[in-house]
Amino acid sequence: MRAFLAIEIPESIRSALTALSARLRAADVRASWVKPENIHLTLRFLGDIETDDAERLGEMLAADLQGIGPFPVRVRGTGAFPNPRRPSVVWVGMEPFEGPLAQVQSAAEQAARAIGLDPESKAFHPHLTLARIRDGRAAGPLVRLLIQEHEFDAGEFIVEGATLFSSQLNPKGAIYRRIREFLFT
């Protein structure tokens, strides 16, 4: 199965992100916009893994995440990967990365390595993907809107757990299915 570990976003934050996406879409740049119900914070993309590996990973995470209680995060700021001059991904940031969020992401990385996956090649930058740009060279109007929205603040929410998802790709977008939830107590 194609899988990833993520933090789900509450409806109040999702509504603010939907409004931001609508404002950014006004740039009329060719992009694939993430459906509001699919916006999440990916802690670790796992790729194609076997069901047995997903179960092993789940057991490790259940043990490693014990003792982490619910914690606040703020959804704030906009940006683009690899950079605003030639964007391929439009995102909204999440902070702070220090503390519990860093612990959860580290546990996800360690569990992924324990089931035989290669270490993540890029440093973790907590963000919510809003869109994938098809031609970064033609994204000037969108970049200007992103700069205008750099102080975007959707507010704070309490992270109460993480979820292991499977992802099935189809022409109308990805379909996510919850495999296992890890509640922070």
Side-chain angles (χ1 to χ4, degrees):
M1 78 178 83
R2 186 173 190 263
F4 63 93
L5 186 70
I7 290 174
E8 296 185 70
I9 307 303
E11 188 56 41
S12 59
I13 301 294
R14 196 178 308 281
S15 293
L17 295 172
T18 300
L20 173 63
S21 290
R23 292 191 302 273
L24 295 175
R25 284 177 189 241
D28 200 28
V29 171
R30 288 189 57 214
S32 295
W33 293 89
V34 178
K35 293 178 184 176
E37 64 271 16
N38 284 352
I39 295 175
H40 58 269
L41 171 63
T42 301
L43 296 166
R44 179 59 154 90
F45 180 72
L46 304 168
D48 291 319
I49 61 173
E50 298 294 328
T51 303
D52 291 347
D53 287 334
E55 289 176 17
R56 282 188 20 234
L57 180 127
E59 294 306 313
M60 283 183 270
L61 285 173
D64 292 346
L65 297 176
Q66 279 186 349
I68 294 179
F71 58 91
V73 294
R74 179 166 289 282
V75 176
R76 176 170 40 201
T78 61
F81 293 134
N83 61 61
R85 290 182 308 281
R86 197 163 196 178
S88 62
V89 172
V90 173
W91 53 261
V92 172
M94 285 185 71
E95 55 188 44
F97 177 51
E98 306 80 30
L101 181 55
Q103 289 177 293
V104 172
Q105 195 280 324
S106 178
E109 179 63 28
Q110 290 173 9
R113 290 180 189 188
I115 64 167
L117 299 180
D118 290 335
E120 189 61 55
S121 60
K122 297 177 184 172
F124 182 70
H125 177 85
H127 69 280
L128 306 172
T129 298
L130 297 181
R132 290 175 180 78
I133 308 301
R134 295 175 196 225
D135 182 2
R137 295 170 298 186
L142 178 59
V143 170
R144 285 189 287 281
L145 287 177
L146 272 177
I147 291 168
Q148 290 174 11
E149 295 281 358
H150 79 280
E151 291 186 15
F152 171 78
D153 190 338
E156 186 175 277
F157 73 97
I158 302 298
V159 176
E160 296 179 351
T163 305
L164 178 62
F165 285 96
S166 68
S167 172
Q168 182 180 357
L169 300 178
N170 70 45
K172 293 184 179 182
I175 298 171
Y176 301 145
R177 186 172 62 89
R178 288 177 188 86
I179 302 297
R180 184 167 178 177
E181 293 183 70
F182 307 93
L183 296 178
F184 303 147
T185 56

